[in-house]
Amino acid sequence: MTDYRFSVAPMMDWTDAHCRAFHRCLTKSALLYSEMVTADAVIHGDPDRLLREDPACHPTALQLGGSDPAKLARATIIGASWGYEEINLNCGCPSSRVQSGSFGACLMAEPDLVADCVAAMRAAEPDLPITVKCRIAIDDMPARETLFTFIDKVSAAGCNHFTVHARKAWLKGLSPKENRDIPPLDYALVAELKAERPNLSITLNGGITTIDECRTHLKVFDGVMLGRAAYQNPSLLGEVDAAFGWEGAPVVSAHDAIIAYMPYMADQLERGTGLHAMTRHMLGLFNSQPGARAWRRVLSERAPKPGAGLDVLDAAVEAITGHAVNIAEV
């Protein structure tokens, strides 16, 4: 059974494989989601580039974008073959690029189509959890009626777990960034959904920024999902395993996470990956701590340079702590 108590949201251009490898150094138990990959890309693209996952990163879920049941079924089979523990369907992204492809948040207006997609995905991989991430509604559609109708139709097709971003998505007039902040949060409506559909597993997403808030929401919901807060302040993830009682786990320090990430980075550098592709996910690791600016400056200025190696990370650590990491021992 998947443990949904804490998860990190799928975020385009952020939660790539390198990000997930770094986050896994901070939390062993949180469920990590890939950035959205379209069904067409999975079917026709380079699977090694799009889907390869470091074995240490699991448990991980692959988020798909699409609205064609047959294509989503094929993409689900491919995703399963690469070892993902869950396939998630994106019904919440409000970007114009996603809308033009007839998927993402605009699917909130087409619950019957989403139900067909879920049914096809489940038929393709009956032993794999097929889940959905959605909003409470879009544009001027009534929130409660839209959400409950959507959930009821899609759950009837075999989806038992939903992650609900507790805001409307305004597809007309707001940018994706504005859609993450301007529409008001409605936790109460999502709580009503959980209370009235207790057989379903519901994860709450949207506006959650602290471990204490997570604890409060877990009294109502089956899980919490953090997005920007987890990415922009990743040291928060170092508290997750201890906070939620996973195997008596300790708090993972930023320094310990860096040490744990280095073997992955060294391997990727040997494969030709640029250092910046990995360190860009680490910039917020020391946010609100003395020396955080120096840490960011070293990584931002030196990591993108051709040939940059782990000595750059060593210098960044020394800039903030006054002590270098002994790379030779990593």
Side-chain angles (χ1 to χ4, degrees):
M1 295 293 292
T2 304
D3 189 337
Y4 287 108
R5 281 180 291 170
F6 189 98
S7 56
V8 179
M11 292 174 280
M12 289 295 294
D13 300 321
W14 285 5
T15 53
D16 61 16
H18 305 310
C19 177
R20 297 193 298 276
F22 173 53
H23 285 177
R24 187 55 77 210
C25 294
L26 288 152
T27 169
K28 299 302 181 187
S29 303
L31 179 60
L32 305 180
Y33 282 78
S34 75
E35 56 185 336
M36 185 191 69
V37 185
T38 66
D40 279 334
V42 171
I43 295 167
H44 302 294
D46 178 359
D48 191 69
R49 179 179 65 84
L50 293 170
L51 300 176
R52 179 171 295 281
E53 188 82 349
D54 187 86
C57 283
H58 296 276
T60 52
L62 172 65
Q63 187 182 66
L64 294 177
S67 58
D68 182 304
K71 289 181 179 180
L72 285 166
R74 288 179 61 192
T76 294
I77 293 171
I78 295 169
S81 73
W82 283 82
Y84 288 92
E85 284 86 358
E86 173 188 322
I87 307 295
N88 179 266
L89 181 60
N90 183 327
C91 296
C93 180
S95 78
S96 56
R97 179 161 60 100
V98 167
Q99 291 179 56
S100 67
S102 299
F103 55 93
C106 63
L107 288 175
M108 292 295 298
E110 300 188 68
D112 291 317
L113 175 57
V114 176
D116 289 343
C117 292
V118 165
M121 295 164 74
R122 278 188 52 80
E125 287 290 341
D127 296 326
L128 197 68
I130 305 299
T131 67
V132 169
K133 187 173 188 293
C134 64
R135 293 282 185 134
I136 59 175
I138 55 174
D139 298 330
D140 57 0
M141 296 176 68
R144 193 181 195 282
E145 179 182 346
T146 300
L147 179 62
F148 275 69
T149 298
F150 180 88
I151 296 295
D152 287 344
K153 289 189 174 183
V154 177
S155 63
C159 179
N160 299 315
H161 180 83
F162 295 85
T163 298
V164 183
H165 187 150
R167 304 180 197 268
K168 276 191 171 185
W170 287 91
L171 306 183
K172 302 170 185 176
L174 292 182
S175 69
K177 182 179 185 300
E178 290 169 332
N179 263 299
R180 293 192 294 266
D181 297 303
I182 293 177
L185 288 161
D186 194 345
Y187 294 151
L189 176 58
V190 188
E192 285 181 40
L193 174 69
K194 177 58 189 176
E196 297 187 28
R197 304 292 186 269
N199 58 309
L200 297 178
S201 175
I202 304 294
T203 287
L204 181 70
N205 173 229
I208 307 169
T209 61
T210 69
I211 293 294
D212 284 343
E213 290 173 15
C214 292
R215 289 193 182 98
T216 298
H217 290 306
L218 285 172
K219 296 175 183 177
V220 177
F221 302 99
D222 301 286
V224 291
M225 175 182 278
L226 271 65
R228 286 170 293 163
Y231 187 88
Q232 294 170 349
N233 184 25
S235 61
L236 179 151
L237 297 177
E239 304 176 40
V240 166
D241 293 1
F244 301 114
W246 274 299
E247 301 176 2
V251 171
V252 178
S253 71
H255 188 268
D256 287 343
I258 293 168
I259 294 295
Y261 193 37
M262 276 188 164
Y264 173 88
M265 300 175 77
D267 178 69
Q268 288 295 314
L269 287 169
E270 290 184 4
R271 294 170 183 263
T273 302
L275 183 68
H276 177 65
M278 296 173 281
T279 57
R280 71 186 184 98
H281 304 299
M282 307 172 71
L283 293 177
L285 185 60
F286 293 96
N287 273 357
S288 302
Q289 298 182 38
R293 182 176 298 177
W295 161 264
R296 292 193 300 270
R297 184 180 64 252
V298 172
L299 293 183
S300 297
E301 292 177 355
R302 295 177 56 181
K305 294 181 178 179
L310 290 181
D311 58 307
V312 173
L313 190 62
D314 197 22
V317 171
E318 188 169 12
I320 191 171
T321 66
H323 301 285
V325 175
N326 189 345
I327 296 172
E329 295 181 0
V330 173

